[in-house]
């Protein structure tokens, strides 16, 4: 049997993304509290829905990078979503700008929740590098996924676009002009 890589590229990228999910899950977390949610988006329909949401967000705020990022995720094979629910850790660190956790208002994130997402993203991207797939961390796609309710109860979500192309589509990105 002969298997051409072009025929199974999507499958290979999804396999790498699944391993990235494990790395994100096992990444260290503040006080050992696991409040992360991790999801894989690997269908073109779902990637299109996220890109469409990014276009809607552009229409409401005019931030042009959303257009570039929306097109960019469609050039990849998958998108990994890593989000966190809000749960102050009771450390009274002041990193959120308030002297105690009790003074941090409900919509404001706990800094340690944000740090946990960052460490998980770093762990996932390390696996991607080991598996030689291309990635780009995008708050824009994470924000769009959050707006679509893809990670319920998460108040901070980052996305990792993943590709297995001969040229990294997430490098040398050009600004995209809106269509007239």
């Amino acid at each position: 049997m002969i298997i051409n890589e072009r025929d199974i590229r999507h499958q290979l990228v999804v396999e790498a993304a699944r391993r990235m999910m494990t790395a994100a899950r096992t990444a260290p977390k503040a006080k050992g509290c696991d409040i992360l949610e991790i999801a894989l988006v690997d269908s073109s329909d779902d990637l299109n829905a996220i890109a469409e949401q990014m276009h809607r967000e552009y229409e409401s705020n005019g931030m042009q990078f959303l257009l570039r990022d929306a097109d960019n995720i469609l050039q990849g094979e998958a998108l990994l979503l890593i989000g966190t629910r809000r749960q102050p850790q009771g450390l009274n660190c002041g990193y959120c700008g308030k002297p105690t956790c009790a003074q941090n208002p409900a919509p404001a994130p706990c800094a340690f929740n944000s740090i946990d997402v960052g460490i998980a993203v770093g762990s996932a991207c390390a696996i991607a590098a080991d598996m030689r797939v291309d990635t780009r961390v995008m708050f824009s796609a994470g924000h769009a996924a959050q707006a679509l309710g893809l990670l319920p109860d998460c108040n901070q979500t980052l996305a990792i676009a993943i590709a297995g192309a001969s040229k990294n589509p997430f490098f040398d990105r050009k600004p995209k002009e809106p269509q007239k």
Side-chain angles (χ1 to χ4, degrees):
M1 178 195 294
I2 297 172
I3 300 172
N4 187 308
E5 175 271 337
R6 292 179 192 276
D7 296 333
I8 63 168
R9 183 176 302 158
H10 180 76
Q11 183 181 342
L12 294 171
V13 170
V14 169
E15 180 182 318
R18 288 181 173 158
R19 291 175 188 237
M20 292 167 64
M21 293 172 80
T22 300
R25 175 63 60 211
T26 61
K29 293 160 193 71
K31 294 178 65 177
C33 295
D34 185 5
I35 55 172
L36 296 182
E37 293 299 328
I38 304 163
L40 173 61
V41 180
D42 69 347
S43 77
S44 59
D45 288 345
D46 291 330
L47 291 170
N48 278 315
I50 294 169
E52 288 170 12
Q53 176 63 29
M54 293 166 77
H55 280 269
R56 285 190 294 276
E57 290 180 11
Y58 162 76
E59 292 297 327
S60 71
N61 65 28
M63 294 183 179
Q64 284 190 306
F65 69 88
L66 289 165
L67 298 175
R68 178 201 60 207
D69 289 359
D71 283 354
N72 216 200
I73 65 169
L74 297 176
Q75 294 171 326
E77 296 283 330
L79 195 66
L80 191 64
L81 304 174
I82 302 175
T84 184
R85 296 185 303 278
R86 181 184 187 277
Q87 182 177 317
Q89 297 299 309
L91 298 171
N92 297 327
C93 67
Y95 288 165
C96 67
K98 301 294 180 185
T100 67
C101 293
Q103 293 172 312
N104 182 342
C110 169
F112 282 99
N113 301 163
S114 303
I115 291 167
D116 287 349
V117 169
I119 293 170
V121 165
S123 292
C125 288
I127 292 297
D130 290 346
M131 298 190 75
R132 305 304 182 258
V133 293
D134 300 319
T135 60
R136 181 75 179 212
V137 178
M138 298 180 180
F139 101 88
S140 55
H143 190 270
Q146 190 171 302
L148 292 170
L150 300 182
L151 292 182
D153 301 323
C154 287
N155 67 344
Q156 296 177 66
T157 303
L158 292 177
I160 306 171
I162 312 164
S166 59
K167 162 93 174 69
N168 183 342
F170 313 125
F171 190 74
D172 295 333
R173 301 180 323 145
K174 307 268 187 275
K176 176 134 170 106
E177 296 296 322
Q179 293 182 350
K180 306 270 182 199

